[in-house]
Amino acid sequence: MEHLPLVFVPGMPERFHKNYREACVFVSEFSHMFSLSNDSLMVDPVYVEFSRKWQLSAYFSIQKKHVIAVLEDFERGKPLDAARGSESNGTRPSTPAPKPQVEQDVLQIKHREGLLTEHAARAVWAIQQCWTSNVYLEALAAKFWQLTMQILLWYQQTASQCVQQLIQSNASKSSVQALESHELDELLHHMHDMFAMREVAMEQTRAICRVVPGTDNGSCGISAGLESAVGQALAPLDDTSNKAADHISSTITVPSTTTLASHLRRTTSQFRHTNRPSP
């Protein structure tokens, strides 16, 4: 172990992931070959020292930073950049997926899932990135699940904020301008995606349950608990959707009903103080 220090370097996440997976396979096959139990391995000094070499928390921090950077850079309107350095040595983080690749992946998700907003597509991309086979590690399942919930919370908050800003901007315009403005289209897009995200998030959760330890082989209780957590994280979107629907409805109906009411008032005045029967 002393002669292979770069094997355990988390600053090169792709290589670290590959090395750790291969080490896990080796340990599994070795213990099976000699009929070793997990309890006996856990107390073996060599295995304990070998396990400590793998800085899993540092690896997760690098992957989390990359995912969060993609979301935050989009929120700030900044281009994605190589935030993780290069693999030129063992101390600097490696380069993440280049901007064109991330943008292409997000675009494919929008088309595949039928999403209309960038917020929803990037949230789905971020969740899938956590659980992709070349990023996810079984030993970090709990941490990646926590990050998944943070991503859902990010989407819920940003979508609600966008809807609120669109409503305020649209409400400040005259009735005709409000009806013809782009805010109504964007509100409809957000409403569509807020409903779609529930189904997409549940599908992702079911896919996660197939790789997370303890949630397969019919462990319905754990799977149901994960799906319940997702539902609770996205529950505030119901109120946001209702606000958007109310604003859209009032914006569309008010101009029409105002004109109709004006006609009705004029019709009534024509029959006032006359011998003609009221209409």
Side-chain angles (χ1 to χ4, degrees):
M1 290 186 288
E2 289 77 7
H3 298 290
L4 298 172
L6 293 181
V7 171
F8 307 99
V9 173
M12 300 181 289
E14 291 83 5
R15 189 179 302 178
F16 179 90
H17 181 276
K18 179 176 180 295
N19 293 337
Y20 182 80
R21 290 289 297 272
E22 291 178 352
C24 289
V25 172
F26 168 77
V27 171
S28 176
E29 293 179 352
F30 181 85
S31 60
H32 178 73
M33 182 182 301
F34 294 97
S35 301
L36 299 175
S37 65
N38 289 333
D39 293 338
S40 61
L41 280 175
M42 293 300 176
V43 297
D44 184 83
V46 177
Y47 178 77
V48 171
E49 179 64 21
F50 178 73
S51 299
R52 288 175 179 173
K53 289 283 186 180
W54 300 100
Q55 301 177 36
L56 294 174
S57 296
Y59 166 80
F60 173 77
S61 296
I62 293 172
Q63 296 292 2
K64 178 180 179 179
K65 182 178 179 181
H66 172 48
V67 170
I68 297 300
V70 172
L71 301 179
E72 290 182 346
D73 287 347
F74 165 69
E75 274 298 291
R76 298 167 184 164
K78 296 179 180 179
L80 302 175
D81 52 22
R84 295 194 294 181
S86 66
E87 288 193 8
S88 58
N89 56 64
T91 60
R92 297 180 61 190
S94 68
T95 306
K99 176 183 176 181
Q101 184 61 48
V102 173
E103 298 297 338
Q104 182 179 356
D105 292 344
V106 171
L107 185 60
Q108 290 177 351
I109 288 173
K110 288 182 72 174
H111 292 320
R112 184 175 66 249
E113 304 295 346
L115 301 173
L116 302 176
T117 64
E118 196 78 6
H119 295 85
R122 285 182 181 270
V124 174
W125 173 88
I127 293 173
Q128 292 180 350
Q129 183 71 12
C130 293
W131 302 95
T132 187
S133 60
N134 61 345
V135 172
Y136 168 71
L137 291 175
E138 186 175 295
L140 295 171
K143 289 183 178 292
F144 277 115
W145 175 251
Q146 184 180 28
L147 180 56
T148 298
M149 297 303 295
Q150 291 175 351
I151 294 168
L152 290 176
L153 180 61
W154 172 85
Y155 171 73
Q156 180 264 313
Q157 291 177 343
T158 53
S160 299
Q161 184 179 9
C162 285
V163 167
Q164 185 63 31
Q165 291 174 348
L166 288 169
I167 291 176
Q168 291 176 352
S169 175
N170 190 254
S172 64
K173 299 178 180 179
S174 65
S175 58
V176 176
Q177 291 177 332
L179 187 60
E180 297 176 350
S181 69
H182 67 90
E183 285 99 351
L184 290 186
D185 292 334
E186 294 185 27
L187 283 172
L188 288 171
H189 291 171
H190 278 289
M191 287 183 62
H192 172 275
D193 282 3
M194 283 187 286
F195 284 107
M197 273 295 292
R198 290 176 175 83
E199 182 60 30
V200 173
M202 289 300 177
E203 290 178 0
Q204 290 296 318
T205 303
R206 288 188 282 270
I208 291 169
C209 289
R210 291 192 287 269
V211 299
V212 172
T215 58
D216 54 359
N217 299 325
S219 300
C220 299
I222 299 177
S223 300
L226 297 182
E227 293 184 14
S228 175
V230 171
Q232 292 177 9
L234 298 178
L237 293 178
D238 291 335
D239 184 57
T240 303
S241 298
N242 291 336
K243 290 179 180 178
D246 290 343
H247 178 77
I248 293 172
S249 177
S250 62
T251 302
I252 294 175
T253 57
V254 165
S256 302
T257 55
T258 300
T259 303
L260 178 61
S262 177
H263 288 315
L264 289 175
R265 284 193 293 269
R266 287 200 300 269
T267 301
T268 303
S269 64
Q270 292 175 1
F271 288 85
R272 189 175 300 161
H273 305 300
T274 66
N275 295 326
R276 290 179 294 176
S278 300

